């Protein structure tokens, strides 16, 4: 059995759109894509009259190197949000199939499933906030096509051990695709599940330049999976997902100098995360700071709503996560610069 047998048969049979840029490459007089022959008269506009490469080779190869994979196993997407959507649409038949998630977790898995009219099976994190692999496996049904595991998890910050991911992949082989969302992996110092793709054809890993690479505004995500999964998703991804200025920004961020700066920023963030975790734990009204492997801290308060309002009144916007199961008293605070973090502490230290 191939992992593609899990995908929607109608998607496997679809004739993909064939864009002008894909059909003919090379040449110097480009009259095949109904573009303007003139660059726009805007700052940085040189060349923007042309459609971008659908999957720019230079960026794909650079990302393959960064993530320890190969070009044919990579799909570059408009943020990992787009990869989640593509996976759900390619694998879940509307009104029939389902995904499985472990809430509290990133909201887009369920949103994409609902947009596709797919079911959402929930297997909550256990009382200590850890993923429960036995419960998750027991929750999977014959119609479950995708199991989403977020590690480090948003919004709790907990990590799922690679051994647990390997066990899930093994037990789900031939039944579902295991999607491991590693948006925050760089802050955890742990190995990527991409290393398991050689052994398991049913793993897809999501990475992004939005967090540790400071490029949320450029929308550059990567899906890493077996080549046949990547080829399937390429059939349904819109023709030109990556704007050329975003590709240029990504390549600059991933240059030798860019990587040096990135390492420095991640190092600084980890120091600030440790400082904030210690300092927050001693603030009045703080019940618990959840251990985090990401670039944020989930913090339980005696009065989460009041704390949210006080921070907001001081100009500090944090994320209210009280709607998530098990987090009814919690706020999620992204780690900012040293000064920004000091402002959080100053507001909390001033008391109610
Ligand atoms: N996965 C997780 C766990 C996230 O927290 C986010 C963003 N908040 C995303 C994916 C989407 O990231 P992007 O689309 O910017 O790559």
């Amino acid at each position: 059995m191939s992992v593609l047998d899990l995908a929607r048969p109608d998607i496997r049979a679809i004739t993909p759109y064939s864009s002008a840029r894909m059909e003919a490459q090379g040449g110097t007089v480009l009259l095949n894509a109904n573009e303007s022959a003139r660059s726009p008269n805007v700052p940085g506009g040189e060349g923007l009259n042309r459609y971008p490469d659908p999957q720019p080779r230079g960026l794909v190869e650079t990302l393959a190197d960064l993530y320890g994979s190969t070009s044919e196993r990579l799909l570059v997407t408009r943020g990992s949000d787009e990869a989640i959507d593509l996976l759900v649409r390619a694998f879940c038949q509307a009104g029939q199939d389902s995904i499985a998630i472990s809430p509290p977790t990133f909201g887009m898995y369920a949103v994409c499933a609902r947009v596709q009219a797919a079911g959402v099976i929930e297997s909550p994190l256990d009382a200590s906030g850890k993923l429960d692999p036995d419960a998750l496996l027991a929750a999977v049904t014959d119609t479950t096509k995708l199991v989403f595991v977020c590690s480090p998890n948003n919004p709790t910050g907990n990590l799922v051990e690679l051994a647990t991911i390997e066990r899930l992949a093994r037990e789900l082989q031939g039944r579902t695709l295991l999607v491991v969302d590693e948006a925050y992996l760089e802050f955890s110092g742990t190995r990527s599940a991409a290393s398991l793709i050689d052994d398991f054809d049913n793993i897809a890993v999501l990475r992004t330049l939005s967090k540790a690479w400071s490029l949320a505004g450029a929308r550059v995500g990567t899906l890493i999976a077996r080549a046949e999964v990547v080829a399937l998703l390429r059939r349904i991804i819109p023709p030109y997902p990556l704007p050329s200025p975003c590709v240029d920004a990504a390549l600059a961020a991933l240059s030798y100098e860019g990587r040096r700066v990135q390492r420095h920023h991640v190092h600084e963030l980890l120091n600030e995360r440790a400082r904030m975790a210690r300092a927050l734990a001693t603030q009045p009204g703080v019940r618990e700071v959840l251990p985090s492997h990401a670039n944020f801290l989930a913090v339980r308060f005696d009065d989460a709503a009041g704390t949210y309002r006080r921070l907001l009144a001081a100009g500090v916007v944090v994320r209210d996560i009280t709607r998530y199961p098990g987090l009814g008293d919690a706020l999620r605070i992204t780690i900012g610069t040293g000064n920004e973090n000091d402002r959080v502490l100053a507001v909390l230290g001033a008391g109610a």
Side-chain angles (χ1 to χ4, degrees), residues 78-82 84 106 109 150 152-154 181 183-184 206-211 216 219-221 296 332:
R78 270 175 302 169
S80 30
D81 283 335
E82 182 175 48
I84 295 166
F106 184 48
Y109 315 136
C150 188
N153 186 41
N154 178 10
D181 186 341
Y184 300 97
L206 306 181
R207 304 294 300 260
T208 180
L209 299 186
S210 293
K211 312 293 176 182
R219 315 299 304 123
V220 183
F296 55 81
R332 192 192 68 194

Side-chain angles (χ1 to χ4, degrees), residues 14-227:
I14 232 168
T15 306
Y17 175 69
S18 176
S19 68
R21 209 57 0 118
M22 278 179 184
E23 275 180 10
Q25 280 154 14
T28 48
V29 181
L30 299 180
L31 303 177
N32 64 339
N34 294 350
E35 301 150 331
S36 168
R38 315 225 176 259
S39 283
N41 185 20
V42 298
E46 187 62 35
L48 275 186
N49 52 322
R50 299 293 174 194
Y51 282 109
D53 187 339
Q55 289 287 298
R57 184 189 295 263
L59 181 60
V60 172
E61 283 172 2
T62 303
L63 289 167
D65 173 57
L66 179 73
Y67 296 138
S69 188
T70 56
S71 298
E72 75 272 12
R73 288 190 174 178
L74 241 70
L75 184 72
V76 190
T77 54
R78 270 175 302 169
S80 30
D81 283 335
E82 182 175 48
I84 295 166
D85 186 48
L86 292 174
L87 284 166
V88 171
R89 284 194 287 136
F91 282 84
C92 293
Q93 193 82 53
Q96 182 179 314
D97 294 330
S98 62
I99 68 161
I101 58 173
S102 287
T105 192
F106 184 48
M108 282 304 288
Y109 315 136
V111 169
C112 291
R114 296 206 167 97
V115 170
Q116 177 61 15
V120 179
I121 294 172
E122 300 194 344
S123 167
L125 300 182
D126 70 16
S128 67
K130 287 188 73 166
L131 185 112
D132 180 344
D134 295 313
L136 182 55
L137 287 166
V140 168
T141 73
D142 288 349
T143 66
T144 310
K145 293 300 177 69
L146 303 170
V147 170
F148 283 92
V149 169
C150 188
S151 177
N153 186 41
N154 178 10
T156 55
N158 66 291
L159 196 71
V160 182
E161 310 268 319
L162 208 53
T164 304
I165 289 171
E166 182 169 352
R167 180 186 155 203
L168 289 172
R170 178 171 297 113
E171 301 211 14
L172 293 171
Q173 218 162 16
R175 294 166 61 202
T176 78
L177 186 68
L178 177 64
V179 186
V180 187
D181 186 341
E182 297 183 337
Y184 300 97
L185 192 81
E186 290 91 337
F187 306 108
S188 74
T190 56
R191 260 177 65 211
S192 168
S195 57
L196 301 173
I197 295 174
D198 279 339
D199 294 330
F200 299 98
D201 67 356
N202 62 329
I203 293 187
V205 172
L206 306 181
R207 304 294 300 260
T208 180
L209 299 186
S210 293
K211 312 293 176 182
W213 292 91
S214 308
L215 278 178
R219 315 299 304 123
V220 183
T222 302
L223 175 136
I224 312 167
R226 286 283 178 95

Side-chain angles (χ1 to χ4, degrees), residues 246-261:
C246 300
V247 173
D248 293 344
L251 284 171
L254 296 168
S255 65
Y256 183 79
E257 172 60 11
R259 290 179 195 223
R260 192 189 62 74
V261 173

